[in-house]
Amino acid sequence: MRTPVTQEAILAGIVKNVQEVPDHSITSITWGVCLSAVQSQKTGLASLVSHIAPKTGTVRPADGPGQSAHQTAAALLDPKSTNTDHASLALAAINSLLPSPPKGEEIPGQDMLLRLGKGKKVAVIGHFPFVDALRKACQTCWVLERQPKEGDLIATEAPTILPQADLITITGTTLLNGTLAELLNLCREDATVVLLGPTTPFASSLFSCGIDILAGSEVVDPEAVLDGIRGGSCFKGLKGVKQTAWARPGLTI
């Protein structure tokens, strides 16, 4: 297994990365059904906990235009924000400040995972739209979900499944609900771990936590993105974004 990490250390590393770049005032916050968006230096996205886990607290933070993006991002470290839309807002603020990956090429997560997972044992945390295609390409494909769909396994099976997997794909929302560290601690040292989804920050500190690939997104047309979010679009149907991946040094994707 990998060197154990804690959720607190993971989040602290991300916030430290953000504090190393210039601060900007937040110019707008957009709430949708599935996503939140923060505009500061650029437009940053994050999934909404209130959409993923509707039974949790859904009170929207009071932060608004004029707030420091650094201060808003730091709310991620407050234990009271875990599994709430406060964490979503903090991650969106983080994504509005962190620079894009060095290459910035468009790399759809589905295509990358189909290539990396071919013939391997793959575990996916979160039921992504592409899991049916992945199941056909892999030797074995386990999908673990808190609310499993047909063919999925309940998330509590992770301690049994993850040590068997060669490739593990984890939804970025585990940064919001407090579960990323416990999942990373179950992965084999030689397994490839991908953090995937619009919430995923391009924070270099995550490489030292045992993540090999950060597969997030970049907003290329802010107006189209904000219109889509206001209209209730989730990431799959959102226009004006591209999927981008950043691999740890020494790893080619």
Side-chain angles (χ1 to χ4, degrees):
M1 297 302 165
R2 298 174 180 230
T3 302
V5 294
T6 65
Q7 191 79 8
E8 293 78 9
I10 292 172
L11 300 183
I14 295 170
V15 172
K16 184 176 184 293
N17 285 160
V18 171
Q19 291 172 341
E20 292 169 346
V21 302
D23 194 10
H24 286 262
S25 294
I26 292 174
T27 56
S28 75
I29 295 174
T30 303
W31 300 102
V33 175
C34 306
L35 297 165
S36 61
V38 167
Q39 290 185 295
S40 64
Q41 193 271 332
K42 58 179 182 177
T43 303
L45 304 179
S47 297
L48 283 173
V49 169
S50 56
H51 174 71
I52 303 163
K55 292 183 180 179
T56 62
T58 59
V59 177
R60 296 281 160 85
D63 296 1
Q67 289 277 338
S68 157
H70 274 179
Q71 290 179 349
T72 302
L76 189 67
L77 301 179
D78 184 350
K80 294 179 182 177
S81 76
T82 301
N83 218 27
T84 72
D85 284 345
H86 289 264
S88 299
L89 180 64
L91 246 304
I94 287 166
N95 289 334
S96 77
L97 287 177
L98 287 175
S100 302
K103 291 185 179 180
E105 300 172 352
E106 184 162 11
I107 305 177
Q110 174 176 335
D111 297 347
M112 179 183 67
L113 293 172
L114 287 173
R115 184 173 67 254
L116 293 175
K118 187 175 182 180
K120 296 182 179 179
K121 295 180 179 180
V122 177
V124 182
I125 310 297
H127 191 105
F128 291 94
F130 55 75
V131 294
D132 289 339
L134 196 57
R135 281 174 170 142
K136 294 177 183 177
C138 303
Q139 176 186 335
T140 305
C141 181
W142 301 282
V143 178
L144 295 105
E145 253 286 356
R146 286 188 168 189
Q147 301 177 48
K149 298 179 173 59
E150 184 177 357
D152 297 350
L153 298 173
I154 189 71
T156 51
E157 292 291 321
T160 301
I161 299 301
L162 295 191
Q164 302 180 57
D166 306 309
L167 173 68
I168 298 101
T169 299
I170 303 175
T171 171
T173 59
T174 53
L175 288 166
L176 305 175
N177 65 23
T179 61
L180 178 57
E182 62 185 81
L183 294 170
L184 292 175
N185 292 338
L186 293 170
C187 300
R188 295 198 322 263
E189 188 172 358
D190 64 335
T192 300
V193 179
V194 181
L195 193 65
L196 177 69
T199 306
T200 300
F202 293 116
S204 59
S205 61
L206 289 169
F207 294 135
S208 63
C209 296
I211 295 170
D212 299 294
I213 301 171
L214 302 173
S217 65
E218 294 183 78
V219 173
V220 295
D221 185 341
E223 288 307 312
V225 166
L226 297 183
D227 285 346
I229 291 175
R230 294 187 194 104
S233 291
C234 292
F235 186 73
K236 183 180 179 182
L238 196 63
K239 296 180 179 178
V241 293
K242 70 174 183 180
Q243 297 180 60
T244 306
W246 186 19
R248 62 170 170 76
L251 180 64
T252 302
I253 55 173

